[in-house]
Amino acid sequence: MKKKRYILLILLFAALFTSLSAQYVNVVCAGDTGVVYRVAGTEGSTFKWSVEGGTIVSDWGDSIKVNWGEVAGEYELRVQEFSIHDCPAVPVTATVLVSAPDIDLGADREICEGDFIEIDPVGTFYSYLWQNGSTNNTLVSSTEGYKKVKVTDEYGCEWSDSIYLAVHPLPYVELGRDTSLCGTESLILDGGSDGMTYNWSTGESFREITVYQGYQLISLEVIDENNCSSSDSILINVCDVEDQFKEMPTAFTPNGDGKNDVWRIPELEPFPMAVVEIYDRWGNLLFRSEPGYSNPWDGIANDGRTMPMDSYYFVIDFGEQNLDPLAGTVTLIR
């Protein structure tokens, strides 16, 4: 009857780590290739090897070369010696740690122009290297493009991951310059075509709103399909009569040629209750219009007299309590 011989095998490894935990014979990085393992056995013996988590690419009997896989974990390395008489020794096993930093930046991200994000890899790593050269453990960015980090663990093993950061432009909104409105004047404010949601300070939610006279500060927030927002505001001042009528006509020529025969005041259109009075240089009332000034003065007094060429005083009562009358002169030219 053959007796089994038990031979003590000593595993010798290349590239040992000086800070290895005693539970591992060595540590490799995921994807490492060409790692050599060797045993010291009896002359003439043969050896049978098995490796979990890796592939034996060369087998020289008392030594092998292993390419390790990409999956991190603890794997068993096993070798059994057979003597020259084919007597098996007790198998020798050892644990190899295949290390790979578990880094995952997550899904691609998106922000709005002017915003920024902080990318914070989950986990603790020995070192960090971002695509812009930063070695901080987080990356703050506001620019579009790929964001990549390479990390190393305590064993010097490297792993990397990347995400794409999309930066969406802000919706365009322009309400125009500050202005004033008088009488029945109105102004349509347009929030632009970029929005999905329109939040007006007036409480309205349409793209366009109409505003009327009276002091008011109107603001708008526009939110687009990417949830990006822009805002603008416009100040509607109280009616400034002098500014409103600064370009009103100051002369007319009632000579029957069909041109400028009456004193038209286009600026009065928003004032349906306005009354225009014309006086001579001695303060006598010559003409008083109906409310709205629908029939402009043609140089004829209310009593039927045709007035001569001269400068005449006018007073315009706007028919609104918050507006003072406007006074001035108009020249009648014949």
Side-chain angles (χ1 to χ4, degrees):
M1 184 175 182
K2 254 185 195 179
K3 292 186 178 178
K4 292 185 179 179
R5 296 179 59 201
Y6 296 90
I7 303 172
L8 178 63
L9 301 182
I10 303 174
L11 289 171
L12 305 174
F13 303 99
L16 290 177
F17 287 78
T18 58
S19 60
L20 279 179
S21 170
Q23 70 187 94
Y24 305 121
V25 292
N26 84 317
V27 176
V28 296
C29 298
D32 276 358
T33 60
V35 183
V36 176
Y37 298 90
R38 180 178 294 111
V39 293
T42 304
E43 185 177 353
S45 294
T46 58
F47 303 87
K48 183 178 181 180
W49 295 83
S50 65
V51 177
E52 292 180 342
T55 303
I56 299 174
V57 293
S58 297
D59 188 341
W60 302 292
D62 64 345
S63 61
I64 57 173
K65 183 186 290 184
V66 177
N67 289 350
W68 289 101
E70 300 286 346
V71 180
E74 297 177 350
Y75 296 102
E76 183 181 87
L77 179 67
R78 185 176 187 273
V79 61
Q80 186 175 23
E81 182 180 10
F82 292 85
S83 71
I84 194 171
H85 302 292
D86 203 28
C87 296
V90 175
V92 175
T93 62
T95 301
V96 175
L97 175 63
V98 177
S99 181
D102 184 15
I103 175 70
D104 182 7
L105 297 182
D108 292 342
R109 305 280 291 277
E110 53 186 310
I111 60 173
C112 301
E113 184 180 354
D115 292 341
F116 64 88
I117 63 166
E118 182 176 19
I119 304 173
D120 186 3
V122 177
T124 302
F125 306 102
Y126 183 77
S127 68
Y128 301 78
L129 180 61
W130 297 89
Q131 86 287 341
N132 64 352
S134 170
T135 56
N136 294 329
N137 58 355
T138 63
L139 177 72
V140 176
S141 181
S142 61
T143 59
E144 183 157 347
Y146 282 100
K147 311 302 171 183
K148 183 178 181 179
V149 65
K150 180 187 290 184
V151 297
T152 59
D153 62 14
E154 59 185 310
Y155 303 111
C157 296
E158 297 181 344
W159 209 256
S160 63
D161 193 24
S162 65
I163 62 171
Y164 190 83
L165 176 62
V167 180
H168 299 296
L170 301 180
Y172 178 78
V173 53
E174 173 60 62
L175 297 182
R177 299 175 59 183
D178 295 344
T179 188
S180 62
L181 298 175
C182 295
T184 59
E185 281 185 327
S186 63
L187 177 65
I188 296 177
L189 300 179
D190 187 345
S193 61
D194 290 349
M196 295 290 289
T197 303
Y198 298 88
N199 298 320
W200 294 91
S201 58
T202 60
E204 295 166 281
S205 58
F206 303 106
R207 170 179 167 174
E208 294 182 350
I209 66 170
T210 302
V211 296
Y212 301 91
Q213 70 160 328
Y215 182 87
Q216 51 195 313
L217 178 63
I218 298 176
S219 60
L220 168 65
E221 179 191 35
V222 176
I223 304 174
D224 66 13
E225 60 184 355
N226 298 309
N227 205 35
C228 297
S229 65
S230 293
S231 60
D232 194 22
S233 62
I234 184 172
L235 179 65
I236 307 298
N237 283 300
V238 296
C239 179
D240 185 338
V241 170
E242 291 187 1
D243 183 69
Q244 179 81 358
F245 287 83
K246 64 184 178 182
E247 295 183 2
M248 67 179 291
T250 58
F252 69 109
T253 58
N255 55 15
D257 64 358
K259 298 178 181 180
N260 201 30
D261 284 334
V262 296
W263 185 39
R264 298 189 185 278
I265 310 175
E267 291 80 1
L268 276 179
E269 184 177 348
F271 300 94
M273 299 306 295
V275 173
V276 177
E277 294 179 338
I278 305 295
Y279 296 85
D280 63 18
R281 65 181 58 226
W282 297 280
N284 299 311
L285 177 63
L286 303 176
F287 171 83
R288 190 175 193 277
S289 74
E290 295 294 326
Y293 195 55
S294 56
N295 294 311
W297 188 41
D298 58 3
I300 298 176
N302 284 144
D303 60 9
R305 288 179 296 153
T306 299
M307 305 309 299
M309 178 174 172
D310 203 348
S311 290
Y312 296 87
Y313 295 97
F314 70 82
V315 176
I316 299 176
D317 184 347
F318 297 100
E320 297 186 12
Q321 292 183 350
N322 59 330
L323 295 180
D324 293 330
L326 178 67
T329 61
V330 58
T331 300
L332 187 158
I333 304 173
R334 292 192 183 276

